[in-house]
Amino acid sequence: MKKTQNLVEKYFPYNDNTAKELAAYAARFHDAGKATSFFQEYIKGNGKWSKEKNHSLLSAVILYYYLRKIRGISPLQAFLSFLAVKKHHSFPEDTFENGGIINDIELIKKQLNAISKDNIKELGIPVTVQEVKESINDIIKELKYFRSLRRFKRNFGEIENFSIYTTFLSIYSSLLFSDRKDAVDAPEVSFPDIPYEKFKNLIDSIPLKRPIDERRQEAKEFVLSKEFNLKQRIYSINLPTGLGKTYTGFLQALKMKKILKGKTGKSFRIIYALPFISIIDQNFEVLKEKLEQIIDSTDSRLILKHHHLSNFEYLTNNSEILPFDIAKVLTEGWESEITITTIVQIFNAIFPKNRSQALRFSRLQNTIIILDEIQTIPVKYWKIFNEIIEDLSKKLDFYIIFMTATKPAIFTNHTELAGGKFFTGLNRYEIEIDLKERTIEEFLEKIDINIEKSHLFILNTVKSSQEVYKKLSETINGEIEYLSRAITPFERRERLKKIREGKVKYLISTQIVEAGIDIDFDVVIRDFAPFDSLNQSAGRCNRNGEKAGLFKIIKLIDENNQRPYWSYIYDPILSSATIEILKDKYRLTEEEFIKLTEKYFNLVKDRAADEAKTVKPFFEAVKYLRFQPIENYRCRENEKFICDMNLIEEDCGEEIFIQLNEEAVEIWNKMIEIVTKLKKGNREAFKDYLRIKQKFYDFVIKVNLSKKIPIPTSKELGLYFIPIEELDNYYDKTGLKEPNLIW
């Protein structure tokens, strides 16, 4: 436990001596309950599983006694440390609406009677069991302060800020990370340095082949010329799509890192967060390829990628692959100079829903966080995300660089590094706007396709995209491709490669191509969407400014329901603001179109303010540690928990594994073998599962299905699958065939 305590003191994320002391004591006491004979017999293999052998709650009680009776810590501060220890093998619920802070008092007393003096001494716990026994009734009485929110407020008053949230998560997170590092004996990682000047010289040396390249170079130099004020925590790089935000943002982070090192002596890591897993690999490879040109060893200590499908492979400087348990801890703990991850992972580190996410809260300390395409954060979270970032960035000492072509009004206090001049003089495409509602049939009857130009069609739903693809593929000549989440990730990668190589003349897609995917078409036709989505879609049109582009906005309706397709998926606040700014407009230049952005976000901000009643419950959940409802809890109207705060709403539908090729068949059979071992109690097989998980999901789609379907189900995996020999019967170019698919 001493090693865990040392690690907690190292990784505690903010400069508050009292909170840091509480975390250190939590680490010192978190395994105190292991001193019982119940636990000792269990780990020796002599005892059966029983609730008496559990140690977390007993450890928390002993800690609470020590903090209150020996150290004189206040009840609330002691409780936050108590809660961290109590939940270090589980996850907090509705903290102050939990009548069962200690459900079984007799169990605690029984466990205390089963602690030997030698065991407690060996664990380094500076209390005697007799003292705890004598005070147990006082402890239980005092803990009643925290049995309901009403009692809590009566004793401690209203909480007006994020103070107890930050303190608790700092204690809990640093304890989780340190305990896991200690458990697997993970080595301390030394991060390689990235020389800012060398990387800048490398990017500067990229040949300027097209006029747009000169504009990218100008934007980069303009951003990097701006002064960095250490007191300003949030920066924006607002540039049109196609102007090289990836390299510019990364260089700005390197510049800030260098200045911070010189002025504070601290080493800051970089976290690069993107909206989707599909573009993590792309950005990871781009940055890694450049870093390899200036740094000898580009192993996991230098650059790492992490998302929910990560396979947890961690390479050290001598190309050694670390053991799985260690690699998992280091990967999930973002132990790298540069971590490429998703905005969802950042959001969940701040508003965690489980232990793995909570572990990363403390890992935000001393970082420069790049948020790429920040407009993907739903408007309902803007206010709370802004306020908590303002608070945490100072306490945890991190900086934010958010990058976007549209600049949503999320952060109220930030410094713009680009913007303005780079949105003038743009003339890559014209915009045609036709908001008359049409069915797909009516739209295709009147469409005029210039066979000399490449076309991209972006639809709002899978079903509408499939219908457009099937009808167009019957009437046009030329290479036509299809993209959506209705096809496997494996196929999406293969098709994107072909598109980037210029082998596709017509592409039918959903909004999957909007953010972060570098593709270029002469004509882009987009079904109506919120303005920021329209802007992103326009960025796929004549991206490099080498010819005249055309961006068309149309409005399609579902023929059966007479309902606009946009209404199935988009926020009405965003959509109504878009309708407002586009009404009475029919043809715009790129510059005129982009200038509507500020008006759009002002409208959104005003209309979002009217939704204040929907925001307040989120603030209440955070301020009062309401992580998730306790079992059998009946939520009141408008009541929210932290677990309700999700950037991406849960996909409905069923997962189906597509045996697309021989590789997929091999992975399928391997997964059956692994799951069979797991069901037999082979815990080591879980490591094999995590290693193969990403490859497995390369062949999985998630769709809504008709209830009466003949698709086979695997008894071993409990999952729908389409055998390779049945592929033609169920699956085609656009995914699952009708009538099985119902949307």
Side-chain angles (χ1 to χ4, degrees):
M1 289 194 290
K2 184 63 178 173
K3 184 179 177 183
T4 303
Q5 181 179 341
N6 292 338
L7 288 171
V8 162
E9 290 172 345
K10 176 181 178 179
Y11 293 119
F12 191 76
Y14 79 102
N15 188 23
D16 182 307
N17 290 333
T18 301
K20 188 173 183 177
E21 183 182 23
L22 290 172
Y25 285 129
R28 188 172 182 180
F29 280 77
H30 77 284
D31 281 343
K34 290 182 177 180
T36 66
S37 58
F38 301 116
F39 183 86
Q40 293 300 318
E41 290 299 310
Y42 177 77
I43 60 169
K44 291 174 185 176
N46 299 328
K48 295 180 180 179
W49 187 94
S50 66
K51 61 182 180 180
E52 284 83 2
K53 67 92 182 169
N54 293 337
H55 70 279
S56 296
L57 177 57
L58 178 60
S59 300
V61 168
I62 296 171
L63 168 64
Y64 190 85
Y65 162 80
Y66 178 77
L67 293 177
R68 291 288 295 126
K69 302 296 184 181
I70 307 298
R71 303 299 304 177
I73 301 292
S74 72
L76 178 54
Q77 290 176 321
F79 176 77
L80 296 178
S81 199
F82 163 93
L83 183 64
V85 170
K86 181 188 175 191
K87 293 294 182 179
H88 78 279
H89 284 299
S90 54
F91 191 69
E93 296 168 319
D94 190 357
T95 300
F96 303 122
E97 284 290 358
N98 189 345
I101 294 293
I102 298 181
N103 283 321
D104 194 337
I105 296 169
E106 293 306 313
L107 172 63
I108 293 296
K109 291 179 177 179
K110 186 177 180 180
Q111 287 178 313
L112 285 170
N113 287 329
I115 293 179
S116 75
K117 293 180 181 179
D118 290 341
N119 286 341
I120 200 83
K121 185 177 181 181
E122 187 178 338
L123 289 171
I125 306 301
V127 299
T128 66
V129 179
Q130 187 58 36
E131 291 172 326
V132 181
K133 287 180 182 178
E134 291 171 358
S135 299
I136 191 66
N137 289 330
D138 290 340
I139 294 170
I140 291 166
K141 182 179 179 181
E142 196 167 278
L143 285 171
K144 289 181 179 179
Y145 293 159
F146 310 101
R147 290 186 64 179
S148 74
L149 190 54
R150 180 177 55 81
R151 288 190 183 197
F152 175 84
K153 288 181 177 180
R154 189 172 65 220
N155 286 285
F156 302 103
E158 296 279 347
I159 302 297
E160 299 297 335
N161 52 40
F162 302 120
S163 57
I164 65 170
Y165 184 78
T166 304
T167 299
F168 168 71
L169 272 183
S170 295
I171 297 169
Y172 185 58
S173 176
S174 56
L175 174 61
L176 291 176
F177 184 54
S178 301
D179 191 30
R180 288 186 61 186
K181 281 197 78 171
D182 185 16
V184 300
D185 197 22
E188 289 302 301
V189 176
S190 58
F191 306 127
D193 184 48
I194 306 171
Y196 166 68
E197 288 81 6
K198 278 190 177 182
F199 194 84
K200 184 177 185 304
N201 290 338
L202 181 66
I203 302 305
D204 289 345
S205 69
I206 297 174
L208 307 180
K209 298 179 180 179
R210 299 159 296 195
I212 195 71
D213 294 333
E214 294 178 7
R215 199 170 178 91
R216 288 171 184 155
Q217 180 84 343
E218 182 189 1
K220 171 169 61 69
E221 293 302 326
F222 184 84
V223 168
L224 297 175
S225 70
K226 293 291 187 72
E227 183 180 354
F228 168 43
N229 177 4
L230 273 67
K231 293 182 179 180
Q232 177 62 47
R233 293 285 170 170
I234 305 173
Y235 292 85
S236 166
I237 297 177
N238 182 212
L239 287 170
T241 55
L243 256 66
K245 289 191 293 291
T246 299
Y247 286 145
T248 298
F250 186 67
L251 277 166
Q252 176 64 21
L254 285 180
K255 171 191 162 183
M256 291 166 62
K257 177 177 163 60
K258 178 185 176 182
I259 293 171
L260 286 163
K261 179 69 173 178
K263 292 193 175 183
T264 70
K266 297 178 184 177
S267 295
F268 281 67
R269 295 173 294 115
I270 295 172
I271 301 174
Y272 196 136
L274 297 144
F276 308 116
I277 291 175
S278 57
I279 55 178
I280 283 183
D281 287 343
Q282 171 188 303
N283 281 44
F284 176 84
E285 293 302 330
V286 165
L287 288 176
K288 190 170 186 289
E289 185 268 328
K290 292 299 179 188
L291 290 168
E292 284 171 344
Q293 297 179 43
I294 61 170
I295 296 175
D296 293 335
S297 179
T298 53
D299 52 60
S300 303
R301 299 171 309 129
L302 178 71
I303 185 165
L304 181 76
K305 58 182 172 181
H306 171 256
H307 48 76
H308 76 281
L309 294 178
S310 293
N311 60 2
F312 305 117
E313 187 176 85
Y314 197 99
L315 277 71
T316 59
N317 59 338
N318 56 4
S319 298
E320 175 192 359
I321 299 177
L322 293 179
F324 178 84
D325 290 339
I326 295 175
K328 187 172 185 291
V329 171
L330 297 181
T331 301
E332 290 189 333
W334 295 343
E335 283 281 79
S336 183
E337 186 73 351
I338 309 160
T339 298
I340 314 291
T341 188
T342 61
I343 292 176
V344 170
Q345 292 287 351
I346 296 291
F347 190 83
N348 287 344
I350 295 170
F351 304 112
K353 288 87 181 164
N354 57 49
R355 282 193 305 152
S356 292
Q357 293 171 3
L359 175 150
R360 286 185 282 279
F361 179 87
S362 62
R363 307 303 294 135
L364 300 174
Q365 181 195 29
N366 297 153
T367 58
I368 299 164
I369 303 169
I370 302 170
L371 298 176
D372 200 349
E373 310 291 4
I374 196 173
Q375 72 278 357
T376 55
I377 295 178
V379 65
K380 63 183 175 181
Y381 299 131
W382 285 8
K383 182 174 175 60
I384 192 168
F385 193 67
N386 171 59
E387 291 194 20
I388 202 161
I389 288 292
E390 284 271 358
D391 186 65
L392 291 181
S393 61
K394 298 181 183 73
K395 290 179 178 174
L396 273 59
D397 199 8
F398 64 76
Y399 293 83
I400 295 283
I401 302 171
F402 71 93
M403 306 196 301
T404 175
T406 54
K407 199 174 182 179
I410 297 178
F411 296 118
T412 55
N413 177 23
H414 68 273
T415 295
E416 177 57 58
L417 299 174
K421 59 182 287 187
F422 297 102
F423 289 88
T424 61
L426 289 172
N427 192 29
R428 291 175 292 180
Y429 50 82
E430 282 193 338
I431 297 91
E432 288 184 2
I433 304 166
D434 181 0
L435 298 185
K436 180 181 178 181
E437 293 185 345
R438 292 182 174 89
T439 65
I440 289 174
E441 191 74 41
E442 291 168 339
F443 159 65
L444 292 176
E445 280 177 3
K446 294 192 174 185
I447 191 170
D448 181 20
I449 293 180
N450 184 338
I451 61 173
E452 300 298 321
K453 295 182 178 292
S454 59
H455 288 66
L456 167 61
F457 297 79
I458 304 177
L459 289 306
N460 284 327
T461 68
V462 169
K463 192 166 184 178
S464 63
S465 68
Q466 290 173 328
E467 187 175 344
V468 170
Y469 174 84
K470 287 169 183 175
K471 290 182 183 299
L472 275 180
S473 61
E474 295 170 357
T475 59
I476 60 175
N477 295 318
E479 183 66 29
I480 182 169
E481 269 298 356
Y482 176 82
L483 283 177
S484 82
R485 287 189 174 84
I487 62 172
T488 65
F490 177 90
E491 292 169 286
R492 295 203 297 265
R493 280 199 307 273
E494 293 294 307
R495 293 178 191 181
L496 275 170
K497 181 181 177 184
K498 193 162 67 166
I499 293 163
R500 292 192 181 103
E501 291 171 351
K503 297 177 180 178
V504 175
K505 191 166 185 179
Y506 304 101
L507 173 61
I508 318 302
S509 178
T510 57
Q511 59 272 51
I512 193 172
V513 297
E514 276 182 1
I517 294 181
D518 187 8
I519 58 176
D520 193 4
F521 286 83
D522 302 328
V523 178
V524 176
I525 300 172
R526 178 64 164 96
D527 192 6
F528 178 83
F531 186 80
D532 47 331
S533 292
L534 295 177
N535 199 344
Q536 288 293 326
S537 298
R540 313 305 129 196
C541 182
N542 190 24
R543 192 171 177 83
N544 295 311
E546 296 179 292
K547 42 197 162 184
L550 178 62
F551 179 58
K552 293 184 177 183
I553 303 170
I554 60 174
K555 189 183 279 188
L556 298 177
I557 60 171
D558 185 329
E559 187 171 7
N560 295 324
N561 300 320
Q562 294 297 299
R563 175 180 170 183
Y565 283 109
W566 66 261
S567 67
Y568 287 102
I569 57 173
Y570 287 118
D571 187 308
I573 292 176
L574 303 180
S575 303
S576 65
T578 306
I579 292 170
E580 177 71 20
I581 65 168
L582 292 182
K583 69 179 181 181
D584 302 326
K585 292 181 175 60
Y586 305 100
R587 185 173 286 271
L588 299 168
T589 65
E590 180 180 3
E591 185 174 342
E592 289 170 336
F593 182 66
I594 288 172
K595 282 183 177 178
L596 295 173
T597 304
E598 186 175 355
K599 182 179 179 182
Y600 166 71
F601 279 115
N602 285 336
L603 278 174
V604 169
K605 191 175 180 181
D606 290 343
R607 294 178 186 188
D610 295 335
E611 300 293 310
K613 62 182 180 181
T614 66
V615 175
K616 186 178 178 181
F618 291 128
F619 278 90
E620 293 295 299
V622 171
K623 288 191 296 184
Y624 293 107
L625 308 183
R626 307 195 73 186
F627 288 96
Q628 56 189 340
I630 59 176
E631 191 174 358
N632 298 323
Y633 180 81
R634 295 183 65 182
C635 292
R636 295 182 287 271
E637 187 178 1
N638 296 324
E639 194 170 29
K640 296 292 183 183
F641 296 86
I642 292 169
C643 67
D644 296 320
M645 299 174 65
N646 297 298
L647 285 196
I648 301 174
E649 299 301 331
E650 286 296 318
D651 288 337
C652 54
E654 300 286 349
E655 290 184 340
I656 307 174
F657 187 94
I658 312 297
Q659 291 188 356
L660 196 66
N661 50 35
E662 292 301 328
E663 180 186 358
V665 174
E666 184 179 339
I667 290 169
W668 174 260
N669 292 332
K670 180 67 176 174
M671 184 62 85
I672 288 177
E673 180 185 324
I674 290 168
V675 170
T676 301
K677 288 180 181 178
L678 282 170
K679 288 178 178 177
K680 291 179 179 178
N682 184 338
R683 297 177 68 182
E684 286 296 305
F686 186 64
K687 298 175 185 178
D688 295 325
Y689 165 76
L690 291 176
R691 289 191 184 103
I692 200 175
K693 184 179 177 182
Q694 184 171 2
K695 289 184 178 179
F696 184 84
Y697 276 91
D698 268 349
F699 298 97
V700 172
I701 61 172
K702 192 168 188 179
V703 295
N704 283 340
L705 296 173
S706 170
K707 292 181 179 179
K708 297 178 180 179
I709 56 170
I711 296 177
T713 304
S714 164
K715 288 185 288 187
E716 296 89 350
L717 303 182
L719 191 72
Y720 288 111
F721 74 105
I722 298 178
I724 192 168
E725 58 271 14
E726 296 286 335
L727 204 57
D728 290 341
N729 295 328
Y730 293 101
Y731 195 78
D732 63 14
K733 185 90 171 181
T734 64
L736 204 63
K737 289 183 178 180
E738 298 279 12
N740 300 308
L741 188 66
I742 63 169
W743 52 258

